[in-house]
Amino acid sequence: MLACSAGAARVYEVRGPDFNYWRAQIKCQAGCPVHTDARGYVRAIAAGQDELAYLIARGPNPLASICGRVCGAVCETQCRRGDLDQAIAIRALKRFVCDRFGPEARTDGGRTLVEFIKTAARRHLPRQCQDQEELLPLLQALTAGSIPQVKGKSVGVIGSGPAGLAAAHDLALLGLAVTIYEMESIVGGMLAVGIPHYRLPRDLIRAEVEAILALGVTAVTECCVGRDVSLSELRQRHDAVVIAVGAKRSRRPAYPGADAEGVYGGVEFLREVALGTSPRLGRRVIVVGGGDAAMDAARTALRVPSPQDDTGGEPGEQHLAMDAARTASRLGGREIHVVYRRSRAEMPAVETEIEEAHEEGIQFQLLANPVRIEKNERGEVRGMWCEKMQLGQPDASGRREPVPIEGSEYFTACDNVVLAIGQTFDLTFIDPRRDGLGLTKDGRIDCDAKTGITSAPDVFVAGDLAYGPKLLIHAVASGKAVVRAIYRHMTGRAIRAADLELHFPVPDYTREAAYEKRRRVEPSTVSVAERLREQNRPVEQGFAPEQARAEAARCLDCGVNTIFDGERCILCGGCVDVCPQTCLRIVTPDQLEGSAELQATVDRRLDRFPRDQASAIIKDETVCIRCGLCAERCPVGAITMERFLFEEQPVCQAV
Ligand SMILES: Cc1cc2nc3c(=O)[nH]c(=O)nc-3n(C[C@H](O)[C@H](O)[C@H](O)COP(=O)(O)OP(=O)(O)OC[C@H]3O[C@@H](n4cnc5c(N)ncnc54)[C@H](O)[C@@H]3O)c2cc1C
Ligand code: SF4
Ligand code: SF4
């Protein structure tokens, strides 16, 4: 079979499929930084196999339940169904199975999760599309001794965000003694002190952390490296140190007035609210920025009690439950404005976050750029001056650059400004010369972003600090990658993947009725009144079983492929006619354009056959919905629906 993308008239750019091609077809898995087999768990949910779906989702990801709530979901951005109409709601489906089988659903708070995974795995057939990152093959390799555990060595991990937690999880599995050093009083990094409660419940974070600590990991909280212990001391104490301290500071702007009383950095503001020490906010708050942190800051500012709500109870109680009267006052009580310099189309925040902010009454001043913050005589914020912008040519990021409109300055009175315009790093605990570490221009530790290896052989970097702020799943992937580098450093052996590729026909291939016409099922949300009555009330609700099955049934199952047998084909054109997506074409060899290797394959296949009498079937893979109608129609059985499987077994090799 030849795969193609349509090119200029009558000539088609074509490539022949190979292992990488088949893997890339499963776009959700290929896009996920830890290569979660989203296709696998979505199809398992469609088949009602929820326990199996959980095992697949948890496979490479020790923070699967947290991801089910707030993951930036690169898999959904990549999903092939999204190219056709709407992506599969993969994250919400993950939440559906985590709600049932994850640590948060267990009465022991997650302490026996890994034991449960081992036992439950025996109830299911071997997995498909299994990446080497997965837990079960690693556990099997450790049990069989093909990956020897490292005994008698320890690792110190600075920072308990997703990168530090993922690293601690895999390090503990590999037999290392792990201690996490965390400056805050709680574990979780930005999950616990950045992402608001209403998106990510704290008991869920605790349960997922508990499952990691149960592997023998020690977490020392309220221990700030640089204040309570030095990096040098940790290097003496441990055989290796992972620095996973994230990007904990808000970027500050250069315009006048940014030092006024009542101006907060977005990250600092969210941290204070999360720790129950919220700054006092006035009647009108301006949040500057268009990313997820800005949406979190704006929606959190709406939920923080007003000074007049303060009836004297314990601060924690005030944050937990608001009575109806307070809610009513707050609904009309505080005005939140988001100021963003581009238009809504360019806003980097997740679409649902923007929509929910709109629903909650947050006002957007788009194409507006702050020029200065005005103070009153006490040095407090009085308001903000902005200039109007218009969009010019695309800049380096590919987005159209905002250009100021001359003479368009305007003033908005406000009591507070929250600046959510980016994050930077705090590495004051590092002395580059003393520690033998280099720093980059943007203030990170110089390292290989993929492996976390630095210029000091026993120091590794993971998470946002390794590559700049991204998503939590990138931090998880980075934490896992660093563990491979540490294992190699300590043992002189590398954990690699041994690939196994399989294709087998699916003779009874069927699809759910009208799966290709169904609209995406969105998880429901609680009403705005309910959200604001209780500050921490989770906004998004989980799928009911029938909703989950309906949504999972929309998945195109991109691991199934149409395989054409040129020897059998009689060129009747039946497949071309029946295909609802018009993705098949019968063309002449001269219409094919591709690599020298492809041309050589075509020449070999044609041999001495006259070129002007030969034909080829090509397929536009991007629009195929795996309906199987072509295989059904073919009168000579020249087309089969074949499932592509691969397994990457982790193996240990000397380097
Ligand atoms: C407001 C906000 C909302 C976000 N929302 C999402 C989202 O919805 N989905 C998503 O996928 N991603 C989201 N992200 C991004 C995601 O949270 C980060 O990419 C991720 O947390 C980075 O992980 P990390 O482990 O590298 O660092 P962090 O999570 O920042 O953890 C670093 C840890 O190190 C600790 N630390 C720092 N310095 C020291 C020191 N000197 N000594 C000891 N400990 C120290 C910190 O206290 C912190 O606990 C969001 C980020 C922010 C700021
Ligand atoms: S349609 Fe299904 S298999 Fe294909 S990319 Fe989307 S979730 Fe993955
Ligand atoms: S599986 Fe369906 S969409 Fe894909 S080529 Fe065959 S008929 Fe067309």
Side-chain angles (χ1 to χ4, degrees), residues 78-334:
Q78 296 291 316
C79 173
R80 176 193 301 287
R81 179 88 200 220
D83 299 338
L84 301 175
D85 53 3
Q86 296 164 292
I88 305 299
I90 304 175
R91 182 188 56 73
L93 287 168
K94 177 181 277 184
R95 172 180 172 176
F96 172 74
V97 288
C98 291
D99 280 354
R100 281 152 186 78
F101 297 98
E104 68 275 32
R106 307 181 63 74
T107 48
D108 63 9
R111 278 183 292 282
T112 56
L113 184 77
V114 172
E115 280 314 308
F116 158 72
I117 290 172
K118 283 190 210 164
T119 320
R122 289 190 211 114
R123 290 195 280 272
H124 301 280
L125 290 171
R127 283 271 329 287
Q128 304 154 352
C129 301
Q130 198 156 39
D131 194 89
Q132 63 145 337
E133 292 297 329
E134 302 227 3
L135 178 67
L136 287 171
L138 181 64
L139 289 174
Q140 280 158 4
L142 289 165
T143 311
S146 54
I147 295 184
Q149 282 198 324
V150 189
K151 292 292 177 200
K153 296 205 183 229
S154 76
V155 180
V157 177
I158 310 175
S160 68
L165 288 171
H169 177 270
D170 281 17
L171 285 166
L173 289 175
L174 289 172
L176 287 138
V178 188
T179 306
I180 298 176
Y181 300 90
E182 169 55 56
M183 65 185 282
E184 301 289 0
S185 55
I186 47 175
V187 172
M190 282 303 168
L191 308 174
V193 296
I195 300 178
H197 291 57
Y198 64 82
R199 289 209 289 130
L200 183 58
R202 273 28 187 180
D203 49 0
L204 187 149
I205 303 178
R206 275 192 292 275
E208 198 122 77
V209 167
E210 194 63 49
I212 294 171
L213 298 184
L215 297 172
V217 173
T218 305
V220 184
T221 51
E222 296 182 89
C223 177
C224 179
V225 177
R227 183 192 65 198
D228 303 312
V229 63
S230 70
L231 177 61
S232 314
E233 283 173 278
L234 291 185
R235 288 174 74 177
Q236 278 162 16
R237 206 179 283 175
H238 299 287
D239 299 284
V241 173
V242 178
I243 306 179
V245 296
K248 218 173 151 63
R249 276 188 184 164
S250 292
R251 205 177 282 283
R252 303 297 283 205
Y255 45 75
D259 59 345
E261 188 72 25
V263 176
Y264 306 110
V267 168
E268 291 77 7
F269 169 72
L270 288 166
R271 174 183 172 275
E272 288 198 30
V273 176
L275 295 175
T277 54
S278 324
R280 286 169 80 86
L281 296 181
R283 285 274 176 193
R284 188 183 282 160
V285 179
I286 291 183
V287 176
V288 183
D292 289 322
M295 293 307 108
D296 282 345
R299 297 178 69 194
T300 298
L302 192 69
R303 287 160 167 79
V304 167
S306 300
Q308 69 271 21
D309 293 335
D310 193 341
T311 49
E314 291 295 312
E317 287 169 19
Q318 288 170 16
H319 294 170
L320 282 173
M322 294 287 147
D323 62 33
R326 279 185 192 173
T327 307
S329 91
R330 192 134 39 82
L331 275 169
R334 183 173 297 135

Side-chain angles (χ1 to χ4, degrees), residues 562 578-581 583-584 619 624-630 641:
T562 49
V578 79
C579 176
Q581 297 292 105
C583 41
L584 299 173
K619 177 181 171 198
C624 173
I625 56 170
R626 275 74 179 158
C627 64
L629 289 178
C630 49
M641 302 305 285

Side-chain angles (χ1 to χ4, degrees), residues 2 16 595-607:
L2 298 171
S595 64
E597 199 188 335
L598 180 102
Q599 293 299 345
T601 308
V602 173
D603 292 344
R604 214 171 31 251
R605 289 292 301 273
L606 290 177
D607 195 12

Side-chain angles (χ1 to χ4, degrees), residues 26-28 39 42 79-81 88 90 555-558:
I26 311 171
K27 287 179 75 181
C28 49
R39 180 214 60 82
V42 170
C79 173
R80 176 193 301 287
R81 179 88 200 220
I88 305 299
I90 304 175
C555 167
L556 302 177
D557 200 348
C558 302

